[in-house]
Amino acid sequence: MKPHHGAHTSNTYIGAHIERVEDYRFLRGEGKYLDDISREGQWHAAFVRSQIAHGVIRSIDVSKALAMPGVRAVITAADIEGDIPTIPFRRPNPTIGPYAQPIIARDKVRYFGEPIAMILADSPELAEDALQGVTADIEQLPVIIDCKSAMADKSLLFDVTGSNLASIFNADKGDVDAAFAAADFIIRDQLSTQRQTALPMETRGLLAEWDAKNGKLTVSGAAKLPFFNRSTMAAMMNLPETAVDYIELDVGGGFGARGEFYPEDFLVAFGARKFDRPVKWIEDRREHLMAIGHSREASCDVELAFSKDGVMLGMRGDLFLNIGAYVRPNGMTPVRNAAQFMSGPYRMPAIHIAAYACVTNKTPAGTYRGPGRYEGNFFIERLIDQAAAGLGVDRLEIRRRNLLTHEEMPYSLATVLPSDGRADTQCDSGDYRVCFDACVQEANWAEKSKLQGKLIDGRYHGVAIGCFIEGGASGPQENARMVLEKNGDISLFAGSSGIGQGIETILAQIAADYLEIPMERITVFHGSTNLLKQGWGSYGSRATVMGGSAVIDACKKLLALFRISAAKRLGVEPDAITIAEGVARLADGRSVPLAEVASDHLEVDGSFKNQTPTYTYGSAFAHVAVDPGTGHVDVVDYVVVDDVGRIINSMTLHGQVMGAAVQGFGSVFTEELIYNDEGQLLVGSLADYLIPTASDYPVVRCVSMEQFPSPTNPLGAKGAGEGGIIPVGGVVTNAVANALSSFGVQPKTLPLTPSRVWEMIEDARVRA
Amino acid sequence: MSVRFEVNGKSVSVDVSPRTTLADCLRHELHLTGTHVGCEHGVCGACTVIVNGDAVRSCLMLAVQANGAKVTTVEGLSPEEGLSPLQTAFKTHHALQCGFCTPGMLTTIHALLSEEPNADEDRIRDVISGNLCRCTGYITIVEAAMDARASYQQSRGDKE
Ligand code: FES
Ligand code: FES
């Protein structure tokens, strides 16, 4: 085992259980979220959305709406000069160009909920009232709602392309045909995960202000990617980047969906500029469900090849991802991720996976925590448990034999083409058996496994264990500016953004340790484009590693300047000085504290460049009890053990893991965005989209390790915001299958609603 | 319409249209933006305030219905400076991440523990199961509430 990362020895804050700085304002009700701000004379926006999933727009009549009280304007595609702008991709590839989303529908609507007009009125109520005053004459076209009909090309969403396939990603490695030819055992299955969304508790919203005198646009309500969105907005508005600012406020949850560039972002800003008025927009929950990025609708037909003793030889097959009507900025991420990361933590010498991105008449997809990885993990873990049974190999043993070891690092995953800039990737560090064994211990598998398939008090018990990797530290760079204030305190301006994860605390901890000063003397400002020239944000579990490493660079630079300033004051060479705990000292006992050089206006820019992702890895255990009478599943125990390279804040880390695990239970059991055959979304409120509540899943235990630091960054840390959700689908479903093994039930489709579980049991009874 | 009620110990009088919800009235007329709105249809609990001692969804109540009532919001649960014992327990147990559900959680738990300072874990879970949190997974919220009971037991003891 490697020693703990020794880059810095005097840690007080890093690794500790530190209470969060941001909590104080949140707990007092003093957080500032988008709807908490208002501007004098602002107008409110509301969107008219297509109620038809696929059709040709014949005409749109806004006259009634315009005549309604308080209505100032109605914007339709006709008000946009020239071509309707489309939203650019964050990770482009050669085939997706024609599928980009226009910011408003002009000739055609392609999903239920697509914006066709924007009302601007004096109050949100009046704007919403006026929605009924807009009538659209839309000629319906045949609706495509699943990948199968999409691939049959019976109706085309985009006539120009002649296809409903936006992209096909191929993940390849080794000689897969040879692997299957040599196999002793092959397992094949068709499995699927359902359409979901991230569902942050705060709905989306924006406030756009146009400063006509200076030609400047300010957009409040940024999250995730303020700098990318600024350049996108500037380009679409034909403004220089410096004429646009994105301001971050407090954000009520992100989870991959909030903060991407959506059509409404442009339209709200367009209205503000056109009418020289602040325009504010907050979506309601129904709108949120039909408009924010969906995710996770995926199916597979995949097979795994094994030797007779359970060694994995190869994996091949097809994945189908229903990406909805357009390719959104990160719409391909789940597709390419599912292909590349399906092999997960396992040694897989040969791979050929084709992942089809199918366009359909549903809300366009984007990312949701663990994009593509959750889906891929569900597929492979289901196959592994079935293979274990077929081969007669123990379920633990089959995993342990195939988990990657320290000696194999770095380990290359499959190459994914067409390249979106990350065709190749390597697991960075770790011994994946270590977390696995720790999880087996922590879960008390020896005892718990005795319950497998047992009927106790009318419920069948089942257990399972599954393994995962989580990609983090998305590149390419992050920046941090540090200023020594007059009173000797430090202001830290970070390009990373806050999405509820505690970035103010994490970055202050890192800075305090590297500067060796109390954390209270550091104030973190983040996520707004007016704080520093360039930054990236918080996505792909990157803020701690990328933002934190940029902070370290800034600390080093600030200490170097401090040394020079102190040397001048003491009249010595900088080399003569030792700096410790915020004080520059000489051997003769003379010293200068940091605060004393504040008049020198010390200010530094730190940055960290890195294109190599980190891979947190771990194992999860589930114990479930299934009521065969109702189909209800109780999660009796759930344990997750991961190795994050280096823990910065054990409290927030566990918060991430636990919160993600519980989200995962929602994915497995209750959450589903259901459409009818006409492509209408049937889920319109939180009473139909059922996320976990406090009484549903009372037990999640997590253990985090830091045995194998990541070699990719000075902290040795790995991104850890998403891992908690990745294994949940696979391990919980395997536990359910294990519980129902006496019936021979093999779940293929999520979610495992009580009725679906009950039906599986009944079907098995009929078969028997 | 003019409505008069007491908010966080202060008497207020506001002019609202009949359809204005108590949530909107608190947020937009009285600028008490600690009360959040997550669904506007009574499911998420983010908008929970305390009306005459009961936890109430302010998105489902009209402002005019509050006429003459005593309303407490998260701002009213906060001491002049610092944090109440319940708020402190939330911080210690990391019972919040994005903070959006937090005001509703605090008001709901405050109303519960003021009435039932000995509520057990099941009771707490049951009561807050009407408040949605997407970030935490609830486990730490329940721990915080359990931990905060002592201060309610105490203050009740003092009063009696
Ligand atoms: S906003 Fe009132 S319950 Fe959701
Ligand atoms: S802390 Fe984010 S919703 Fe509860």
Side-chain angles (χ1 to χ4, degrees):
Chain A
M1 234 161 274
K2 278 201 204 163
H4 192 283
H5 209 257
H8 195 74
T9 46
S10 61
N11 291 329
T12 327
Y13 297 108
I14 294 180
H17 175 107
I18 301 273
E19 290 181 19
R20 301 196 320 166
V21 177
E22 37 280 83
D23 288 356
Y24 186 76
R25 65 175 186 274
F26 292 157
L27 286 162
R28 292 176 54 89
E30 291 165 359
K32 275 275 165 285
Y33 302 83
L34 195 265
D35 196 29
D36 301 342
I37 60 165
S38 281
R39 297 288 184 259
E40 199 60 40
Q42 71 191 6
W43 289 353
H44 295 262
F47 291 92
V48 182
R49 298 178 182 277
S50 178
Q51 301 301 300
I52 304 283
H54 196 195
V56 175
I57 301 176
R58 292 292 173 220
S59 63
I60 298 172
D61 180 2
V62 303
S63 54
K64 273 210 198 82
L66 274 173
M68 289 175 79
V71 173
R72 301 294 188 142
V74 181
I75 301 285
T76 66
D79 297 287
I80 314 269
E81 280 168 37
D83 289 344
I84 303 291
T86 56
I87 304 171
F89 308 112
R90 285 212 280 125
R91 294 165 73 175
N93 81 45
T95 61
I96 54 181
Y99 300 91
Q101 176 157 20
I103 48 81
I104 193 163
R106 180 160 64 190
D107 309 317
K108 214 180 169 188
V109 289
R110 295 186 175 87
Y111 65 96
F112 175 84
E114 181 164 6
I116 54 178
M118 175 176 71
I119 312 254
L120 296 174
D122 289 337
S123 76
E125 294 82 8
L126 294 171
E128 280 164 37
D129 289 347
L131 293 176
Q132 283 149 30
V134 175
T135 41
D137 178 10
I138 297 174
E139 186 188 320
Q140 295 203 31
L141 293 169
V143 170
I144 301 280
I145 61 161
D146 54 29
C147 287
K148 213 168 149 203
S149 44
M151 291 181 71
D153 289 337
K154 285 210 181 94
S155 169
L156 289 175
L157 273 78
F158 299 83
D159 292 320
V160 289
T161 67
S163 160
N164 290 321
L165 282 178
S167 242
I168 305 168
F169 290 94
N170 286 299
D172 284 288
K173 184 179 173 181
D175 184 345
V176 82
D177 291 337
F180 276 80
D184 297 316
F185 180 81
I186 292 170
I187 181 83
R188 177 176 176 177
D189 205 356
Q190 296 79 35
L191 302 155
S192 64
T193 54
Q194 81 280 18
R195 180 166 275 248
Q196 280 189 254
T197 188
L199 208 100
M201 287 318 298
E202 183 198 15
T203 53
R204 288 178 303 154
L206 284 175
L207 173 71
E209 295 165 85
W210 175 247
D211 170 355
K213 202 163 84 214
N214 298 304
K216 194 153 176 151
L217 177 70
T218 305
V219 182
S220 300
K224 190 174 181 177
L225 298 147
F227 292 87
F228 176 85
N229 287 358
R230 168 179 67 172
S231 53
T232 298
M233 181 72 87
M236 289 169 100
M237 286 269 172
N238 245 323
L239 291 167
E241 235 172 66
T242 47
V244 180
D245 264 325
Y246 262 71
I247 307 298
E248 191 195 7
L249 305 164
D250 288 323
V251 169
F255 317 119
R258 183 200 297 282
E260 291 291 345
F261 199 103
Y262 287 98
E264 297 88 354
D265 299 33
F266 175 85
L267 292 169
V268 167
F270 177 84
R273 185 180 184 185
K274 185 172 167 79
F275 300 105
D276 195 9
R277 279 275 177 166
V279 175
K280 180 170 161 181
W281 167 66
I282 305 285
E283 69 184 350
D284 68 23
R285 190 53 77 176
R286 178 164 183 267
E287 205 179 6
H288 178 88
L289 287 163
M290 68 172 85
I292 199 170
H294 291 179
S295 211
R296 299 272 204 265
E297 187 173 358
S299 61
C300 77
D301 182 352
V302 173
E303 49 188 346
L304 288 186
F306 288 89
S307 74
K308 61 180 180 311
D309 44 5
V311 173
M312 292 176 185
L313 304 176
M315 171 173 87
R316 68 182 174 197
D318 297 320
L319 307 179
F320 307 94
L321 284 95
N322 183 329
I323 60 153
Y326 297 101
V327 177
R328 279 186 169 167
N330 65 348
M332 290 296 103
T333 304
V335 189
R336 51 93 57 227
N337 277 4
Q340 189 164 45
F341 296 107
M342 203 172 125
S343 60
Y346 301 109
R347 186 181 310 107
M348 190 71 77
I351 297 170
H352 174 70
I353 295 287
Y356 297 86
C358 308
V359 290
T360 64
N361 295 114
K362 289 184 175 174
T363 298
T367 50
Y368 171 35
R369 209 173 201 172
R373 304 166 195 273
Y374 166 93
E375 298 90 312
N377 189 273
F378 173 71
F379 300 153
I380 195 166
E381 291 293 337
R382 285 294 295 131
L383 286 164
I384 293 173
D385 261 26
Q386 294 180 69
L391 280 160
V393 178
D394 176 68
R395 288 191 289 158
L396 297 191
E397 211 34 55
I398 198 171
R399 290 183 169 80
R400 197 182 276 115
R401 276 180 204 165
N402 292 290
L403 284 170
L404 292 168
T405 63
H406 176 46
E407 289 69 38
E408 294 163 278
M409 295 296 160
Y411 181 83
S412 294
L413 300 178
T415 300
V416 176
L417 295 172
S419 174
D420 59 352
R422 281 194 229 161
D424 290 299
T425 190
Q426 297 180 320
C427 295
D428 53 345
S429 65
D431 195 314
Y432 294 180
R433 296 167 307 187
V434 174
C435 280
F436 183 76
D437 290 339
C439 186
V440 169
Q441 282 295 320
E442 185 68 32
N444 196 4
W445 179 272
E447 279 306 307
K448 288 284 179 65
S449 59
K450 292 180 186 155
L451 299 171
Q452 302 188 59
K454 281 234 172 84
L455 181 64
I456 304 166
D457 296 335
R459 298 190 305 171
Y460 289 95
H461 287 250
V463 293
I465 195 160
C467 308
F468 66 96
I469 53 171
E470 166 191 8
S474 291
Q477 186 173 334
E478 194 53 273
N479 294 345
R481 190 161 67 87
M482 208 173 249
V483 176
L484 177 62
E485 301 292 354
K486 293 239 156 35
N487 61 358
D489 287 356
I490 299 287
S491 295
L492 173 55
F493 302 91
S496 310
S497 47
I499 41 176
Q501 82 279 51
I503 191 79
E504 291 164 39
T505 308
I506 299 284
L507 296 184
Q509 281 180 261
I510 294 170
D513 267 355
Y514 278 79
L515 295 175
E516 298 181 288
I517 62 174
M519 214 179 126
E520 294 69 40
R521 286 180 54 194
I522 297 163
T523 309
V524 177
F525 302 89
H526 54 84
S528 295
T529 59
N530 57 357
L531 301 176
L532 62 181
K533 279 199 202 76
Q534 186 59 273
W536 276 262
S538 295
Y539 52 91
S541 291
R542 72 192 301 280
T544 298
V545 175
M546 299 297 293
S549 298
V551 167
I552 293 174
D553 187 45
C555 290
K556 285 186 184 151
K557 287 176 171 157
L558 190 81
L559 290 176
L561 293 186
F562 176 32
R563 179 185 297 278
I564 294 168
S565 285
K568 263 196 213 130
R569 278 182 177 57
L570 295 167
V572 297
E573 287 299 310
D575 286 353
I577 284 178
T578 353
I579 297 178
E581 297 181 355
V583 182
R585 290 176 201 282
L586 280 178
D588 65 8
R590 288 187 296 152
S591 66
V592 178
L594 188 57
E596 216 164 277
V597 303
S599 54
D600 290 6
H601 303 295
L602 303 191
E603 181 173 339
V604 294
D605 281 299
S607 70
F608 182 63
K609 279 195 180 65
N610 173 35
Q611 292 283 21
T612 316
T614 60
Y615 289 96
T616 283
Y617 60 95
S619 296
F621 163 85
H623 169 197
V624 302
V626 186
D627 181 337
T630 62
H632 178 82
V633 180
D634 244 347
V635 180
V636 181
D637 193 11
Y638 189 85
V639 178
V640 51
V641 179
D642 60 3
D643 185 336
V644 299
R646 188 173 184 200
I647 298 168
I648 309 299
N649 186 329
S650 54
M651 191 172 78
T652 61
L653 172 62
H654 285 160
Q656 288 292 318
V657 177
M658 253 193 287
V662 173
Q663 282 187 357
F665 297 145
S667 307
V668 177
F669 294 115
T670 52
E671 295 176 28
E672 183 166 19
L673 292 164
I674 302 168
Y675 281 80
N676 68 11
D677 291 342
E678 274 81 60
Q680 284 160 327
L681 180 61
L682 302 181
V683 172
S685 79
L686 295 180
D688 334 298
Y689 191 80
L690 301 174
I691 68 166
T693 73
S695 46
D696 294 340
Y697 310 105
V699 187
V700 175
R701 300 188 282 141
C702 44
V703 178
S704 291
M705 307 170 92
E706 42 183 0
Q707 293 198 356
F708 293 91
S710 176
T712 64
N713 65 84
L715 283 163
K718 300 181 175 189
E722 304 173 80
I725 203 169
I726 293 169
V728 185
V731 71
V732 173
T733 307
N734 280 339
V736 170
N738 180 247
L740 300 176
S741 51
S742 56
F743 299 92
V745 162
Q746 293 293 355
K748 289 175 184 291
T749 303
L750 295 179
L752 299 176
T753 57
S755 59
R756 183 169 277 147
V757 173
W758 183 84
E759 270 167 30
M760 286 191 298
I761 297 170
E762 286 309 298
D763 287 352
R765 279 189 169 135
V766 171
R767 275 203 310 272
Chain B
M1 297 175 82
S2 162
V3 210
R4 195 176 271 284
F5 54 100
E6 196 184 297
V7 184
N8 302 331
K10 277 192 216 102
S11 157
V12 295
S13 145
V14 247
D15 229 4
V16 291
S17 72
R19 68 170 172 175
T20 305
T21 63
L22 179 58
D24 283 348
C25 173
L26 291 168
R27 291 179 48 75
H28 301 310
E29 305 298 328
L30 300 167
H31 306 293
L32 293 166
T33 53
T35 300
H36 294 158
V37 175
C39 71
E40 294 176 288
H41 52 248
V43 185
C44 76
C47 66
T48 307
V49 299
I50 302 167
V51 180
N52 298 330
D54 294 327
V56 163
R57 289 169 190 230
S58 62
C59 73
L60 290 185
M61 183 170 175
L62 296 172
V64 291
Q65 293 175 293
N67 203 20
K70 277 197 165 92
V71 178
T72 307
T73 68
V74 66
E75 289 91 344
L77 295 184
S78 312
E80 200 65 17
E81 249 177 62
L83 299 174
S84 72
L86 177 60
Q87 289 167 327
T88 305
F90 262 61
K91 191 163 188 275
T92 321
H93 289 273
H94 190 32
L96 67 157
Q97 289 180 28
C98 78
F100 198 77
C101 70
T102 310
M105 288 287 180
L106 290 169
T107 46
T108 303
I109 296 168
H110 179 80
L112 169 69
L113 296 182
S114 301
E115 281 303 307
E116 302 172 38
N118 298 315
D120 65 7
E121 184 179 331
D122 283 345
R123 174 73 179 142
I124 291 169
R125 275 192 186 280
D126 194 42
V127 170
I128 63 167
S129 68
N131 289 58
L132 298 178
C133 173
R134 190 56 156 171
C135 299
T136 62
Y138 306 103
I139 291 162
T140 53
I141 298 179
V142 175
E143 286 170 1
M146 297 284 287
D147 203 13
R149 290 182 310 177
S151 69
Y152 288 87
Q153 289 157 355
Q154 187 95 41
S155 61
R156 216 165 139 103
D158 291 349
K159 260 185 249 156
E160 275 159 15

